[in-house]
Amino acid sequence: MATINTNYQKLQAGYLFPEIGKRVRNFAAANPAARIIRLGIGDVVLPLPAPIIDAMKAGVDEMARKETFQGYGPEQGHEFLREAIAGHFRGQGAEVAADEVFVSDGSKCDTANIQEIFAVDNIIAVTDPVYPVYVDTNVMAGRTGPAENGRYGKLVYLPTTAENGFEPALPSGHVDLIYLCSPNNPTGAVMSRASLQRWVDYAKREGAIILFDAAYEAFIREPGLVHSIFEIPGARNVAIEFRSFSKTAGFTGTRCAFTVIPKELCARDGAGVPVPLHSLWNRRHTTKFNGVSYPVQRAAAAVFSPEGSKAVQANIDYYMENARIIREGLAKAGYRVHGGVNGPYIWLRVPEGLTSWQFFDRLLGEANVVGTPGSGFGTCGEGYFRLSAFGFRENVE
Ligand SMILES: *Cc1c(COP(=O)(O)O)cnc(C)c1O
């Protein structure tokens, strides 16, 4: 009989969102008159702006004519989009070439798949709390021991809490791969330039690779903060960056993202010889992926046009005004709140004596508001609660 990948049996049931759904359904059934406000989701609500939709429609029209029809495109993405992305990085003070950009159908897949090009005995560091994709995919690949008290063996957890200003400390020992997400989901915090420089220096010293998830970089409001890891001197030798059009431009249902791998970035093979990760990822990507739909790539390129970027910025402004309203309202009500200034998530301290789940039940029961218990993102998330700025203004108010 065929046998399974038993690493899957180590996975803790992904019970956070199903459990939230169950509790909300039960509450709604018992309280049919209650108007439930959902601020738990990490999904956008505003429709795609007109310049983006127009570009998508123009792409569809091209598909309808013999002269402009497109079949398979380059797996790595069309030149027009890769060039536009590279130009955007240059505008942010980061050196990225168009052929270092790999266009894909999502950052979830990219951050999940990247571990494939690394050996199974690499030591992995993640922050706690964490976006669960980084952890679960390494569990599936066999890079962890079994879970005990919510933590997997062999994984190095980096506590990221109010006590350390949401700046994870460097590991005390050696690690090979480090997942960092800034602005952060779920805490809404942005890592400082100085701390990112410390991470780049650590990676250089230890021969480690930083996997930098910048899915929320477009939400940074304050000047001087780091949008791309490649703004940091030395990062091109130690880092991979992931970005997505999902939250930035409302593409969660449209699907487009990209990964940047600098050509000089290397990891060692079994004989200790440095191998460029760009060529490995190119091999993986071209073997397992056949490109993003042409009209979607046209729509994505429009995000960088003057009209497109203005429209996208207006949507981000809308969400960040939501964030301000939530943050300031809660602070006035006496809550300790974090995030919500340079990222679309508000990370609040639950009242003394309550767990994250107890607060979830109380908020749902008394205010009819749905959020996400911080403990669902890791042990260090206990005592915290995530509210999302992705909602309609009237609900937020
Ligand atoms: C939403 C999100 C992404 C983007 O996922 P897509 O697959 O591109 O929609 C990536 N990383 C984090 C931390 C996210 O919250």
Side-chain angles (χ1 to χ4, degrees), residues 42 105-109 111 131 134 181 183-185 213 215-216 243-247 251-252 255-257 345 386:
D105 61 354
S107 272
K108 186 198 235 186
C109 333
T111 56
Y131 181 57
Y134 316 148
C181 176
N184 193 264
N185 179 10
D213 186 343
Y216 296 96
R243 286 201 188 181
S244 173
F245 293 95
S246 283
K247 317 301 172 19
F251 275 55
T252 51
R255 313 305 305 144
C256 198
Y345 297 114
R386 191 190 78 174

